[in-house]
Amino acid sequence: ADNIAEDDVWCDSDLFAGMWSQLCELEWPRLLMGETHGGIGLGMPQAVKVMELAGSALLPLPLGTWMNTSAFLSEQAAHSPISEWLDRCMHDGRLAGFAIRSGENRLFVPYCRPDSQILTLSYAQGKVWARVAEGIAGGSGIDPFIRNGWLEAPAWQMQDDFACDKVSWDAFELRSRMLVAAELLGESDDLIDAAGR
């Protein structure tokens, strides 16, 4: 069964890339980005609703992380190399993964693919430190369509940093948690509905 799921994931890789490209064309990753920065300029109530719907549809793509990160970078460092890199990814419909620090030197990467670069942001001493690494293959998690992996001792392809106050960083992290919670709420509501049928 694991081999079948593995084959299905790789067969559907082009499907996921196509879905992501369409979401980028529709500007969904820019929902929280202000209009002055080329975004749609919606607020968190609308973004939360979008993520509830994404969760109920079991969307296997990191839409919430993209929405939050693109908005944060446009607010804090609109013309930085890392912001321009992410903008090019959206323009080209390319998917990037986002690493989450777990321990001293380990980074957990949900939604990873070998052809998708990985972005990680961290905060220290009044600066955001942004790094981009090569993609990794990862393996199937609870959802066989979402690849997860660990990034250890990466060779960074791009490094950037920019000034940021702690309030703005904390707001970014809070938005991240709210969007994940909304997605999980959408998933659980859908499961409860399915169980009641």
Side-chain angles (χ1 to χ4, degrees):
D2 285 346
N3 289 339
I4 293 170
E6 199 78 14
D7 291 343
D8 286 346
V9 168
W10 292 114
C11 287
D12 288 341
S13 186
D14 289 342
L15 174 65
F16 295 157
M19 284 170 48
W20 182 250
S21 183
Q22 288 179 355
L23 288 179
C24 287
E25 283 178 27
L26 294 169
E27 305 263 313
W28 281 33
R30 298 177 194 265
L31 283 176
L32 283 172
M33 190 186 292
E35 292 180 78
T36 55
H37 296 292
I40 296 176
L42 296 182
M44 276 301 288
Q46 293 86 6
V48 162
K49 190 61 184 170
V50 166
M51 290 314 300
E52 280 187 50
L53 293 171
S56 66
L58 301 178
L59 182 71
L61 296 164
L63 177 60
T65 308
W66 269 78
M67 287 193 302
N68 190 30
T69 304
S70 60
F72 175 71
L73 290 176
S74 71
E75 293 161 3
Q76 299 297 318
H79 303 295
S80 70
I82 207 74
S83 188
E84 290 174 357
W85 167 81
L86 193 66
D87 195 57
R88 282 194 306 274
C89 286
M90 282 189 281
H91 181 268
D92 298 341
R94 283 185 291 128
L95 187 59
F98 295 87
I100 302 164
R101 188 163 300 281
S102 180
E104 194 64 31
N105 297 310
R106 301 188 82 202
L107 296 166
F108 178 66
V109 188
Y111 302 99
C112 62
R113 292 158 41 113
D115 58 346
S116 298
Q117 291 173 294
I118 299 164
L119 170 66
T120 184
L121 301 176
S122 59
Y123 182 81
Q125 301 170 340
K127 284 189 175 182
V128 171
W129 306 84
R131 303 289 182 263
V132 175
E134 281 186 16
I136 56 174
S140 298
I142 294 171
D143 184 336
F145 296 107
I146 298 177
R147 314 284 294 177
N148 303 305
W150 291 93
L151 188 63
E152 303 192 53
W156 302 117
Q157 296 179 320
M158 182 188 300
Q159 301 187 50
D160 190 16
D161 62 80
F162 53 87
C164 176
D165 60 75
K166 187 73 164 60
V167 172
S168 298
W169 178 255
D170 287 347
F172 166 70
E173 290 199 311
L174 179 59
R175 284 197 310 251
S176 293
R177 290 192 288 273
M178 289 173 67
L179 293 171
V180 169
E183 186 173 10
L184 292 173
L185 179 63
E187 290 175 10
S188 62
D189 282 350
D190 191 59
L191 289 170
I192 290 167
D193 288 346
R197 288 184 205 134

